Amino acid sequence: TDLLNGDHQRGKRRDYSTLDDNKTQSAMRFLLELVNTPEAEVSAEVTDALAFAWERLLAHQAPNGAWPQQFSSVSDHSDDPVIPISIPESYPREHPRENYVHFYTLNDNNLLNVMKLLLRAHELEKDPTYLKSAERLGEFLLLAQHRGNQRGWSQQYNRRMEPVWARKFEPPALSSVETIGAAEALFELWIATGDNRFRDTLPDALTWLEASRFEDGQWARFYELKTNVPLYCKADTYELTYDAGDLPTHYGFIIGSGFQKKIDRARKELARERESIIRSRTRPRSPQEWANAA
């Protein structure tokens, strides 16, 4: 409101926007659905707010198609290189206490939720701007996928496209949870575009996940770069360790056997024809299906 009234001096006020935990994406998705509901009486303030949000969100997409976790009026990723993932020979085994909000962040499905927002906007408004942005995000996910036998994704990457630390319990590693999220984002982009590049890389990611499963049917959240050994943090010190015997209780270092259902569902969807998926999604829903969804 201050900005629209002509106040362009930030002073000491903080103006960070965050994609973490679906905050910005969910608010924009709500406004998007509202303004595209014919029965809704939407004020100019609402449409202006959504237009401003789109302007700012799209302005902060990096050249490689990614977004940082947070951005502000002074954030600038315009000079970031467009390069594939790079694994350094070594990385800090202790938390470097670096501010991580400017890293390209997949954690908590940040970029999956951006992808869903962009694709829904294109579906509703038919503006190619949104689909072009979604395709650029897909290009980033292709660049960020690990090579060799570890075909998953990390939680966050720096501007050199190196996996890096975020919080003190989020080390540079491959992440099982974020790999499923990245795979879903690429799958949805394939449905929207028909570009098989976004689909063809997914079976390798699922193969890596299945190869990384423990004998008891569970997974680690983190797997070490190059070795694929599960990584954990100690409860009190957050020291990086290979031992799962003393874990912090506030974070999911072990992923339960229900994770297999997500992999199985992804395999099943990949086996279907794109046209069949589109038909099933666009057919009229019965009143009972609407009630069940509600």
Side-chain angles (χ1 to χ4, degrees):
T1 303
D2 292 343
L3 183 67
L4 295 174
N5 288 334
D7 180 2
H8 295 279
Q9 300 299 319
R10 290 174 75 243
K12 295 182 179 180
R13 292 172 296 179
R14 299 174 63 184
D15 66 345
Y16 269 87
S17 298
T18 182
L19 301 177
D20 193 36
D21 290 331
N22 202 20
K23 292 183 181 73
T24 291
Q25 305 93 309
S26 62
M28 290 181 65
R29 177 70 180 267
F30 176 82
L31 294 178
L32 173 70
E33 297 288 351
L34 182 63
V35 301
N36 283 282
T37 300
E39 298 83 0
E41 297 181 4
V42 180
S43 67
E45 287 85 353
V46 170
T47 55
D48 288 348
L50 182 58
F52 180 80
W54 276 120
E55 177 194 347
R56 295 292 82 208
L57 180 68
L58 295 176
H60 287 282
Q61 187 173 20
N64 64 6
W67 272 270
Q69 185 194 93
Q70 298 181 26
F71 53 87
S72 76
S73 60
V74 297
S75 300
D76 185 10
H77 284 262
S78 60
D79 292 331
D80 289 10
V82 180
I83 53 178
I85 184 174
S86 175
I87 306 299
E89 287 299 319
S90 62
Y91 62 92
R93 305 290 294 189
E94 296 182 358
H95 189 253
R97 300 182 182 276
E98 183 178 359
N99 184 7
Y100 56 84
V101 301
H102 56 279
F103 293 147
Y104 311 133
T105 302
L106 281 68
N107 191 19
D108 291 330
N109 288 328
N110 283 9
L111 297 185
L112 169 60
N113 289 320
V114 174
M115 181 70 80
K116 290 180 176 180
L117 172 65
L118 291 167
L119 294 179
R120 182 60 173 158
H122 180 255
E123 181 182 6
L124 288 173
E125 301 187 352
K126 306 297 187 287
D127 186 335
T129 301
Y130 303 125
L131 186 59
K132 181 179 179 180
S133 179
E135 290 174 324
R136 290 177 58 202
L137 175 52
E139 297 291 348
F140 163 76
L141 292 173
L142 294 182
L143 290 172
Q145 187 176 17
H146 286 254
R147 309 305 193 234
N149 295 325
Q150 292 181 296
R151 296 288 284 154
W153 281 266
S154 293
Q155 280 191 338
Q156 54 277 324
Y157 303 76
N158 62 20
R159 296 183 180 190
R160 298 186 299 275
M161 286 295 283
E162 298 168 337
V164 284
W165 285 88
R167 291 175 290 186
K168 60 184 177 181
F169 44 85
E170 294 171 332
L174 285 92
S175 171
S176 54
V177 174
E178 277 63 47
T179 291
I180 279 289
E184 182 180 351
L186 287 171
F187 182 81
E188 291 301 320
L189 185 58
W190 170 65
I191 294 297
T193 64
D195 188 336
N196 287 331
R197 292 183 306 121
F198 301 128
R199 178 200 178 280
D200 291 347
T201 194
L202 302 184
D204 287 345
L206 298 179
T207 296
W208 170 73
L209 283 173
E210 291 176 323
S212 302
R213 182 176 54 198
F214 301 153
E215 291 185 0
D216 63 1
Q218 299 188 103
W219 280 260
R221 179 71 175 261
F222 301 118
Y223 291 87
E224 190 174 47
L225 303 173
K226 300 180 182 180
T227 70
N228 214 51
V229 176
L231 284 176
Y232 310 99
C233 288
K234 293 184 178 180
D236 294 329
T237 64
Y238 291 95
E239 178 185 349
L240 207 57
T241 178
Y242 299 124
D243 184 3
D246 181 30
L247 299 177
T249 59
H250 63 82
Y251 196 77
F253 285 93
I254 301 292
I255 308 302
S257 57
F259 195 64
Q260 184 65 50
K261 293 181 180 179
K262 295 184 178 182
I263 297 174
D264 292 342
R265 184 163 57 248
R267 289 277 192 198
K268 183 177 180 180
E269 288 295 287
L270 284 172
R272 297 177 63 190
E273 295 291 334
R274 174 172 172 266
E275 290 74 15
S276 173
I277 297 173
I278 293 174
R279 284 196 302 270
S280 68
R281 292 184 177 187
T282 56
R283 67 173 177 79
R285 300 173 75 180
S286 69
Q288 185 59 50
E289 286 175 316
W290 279 111
N292 292 341

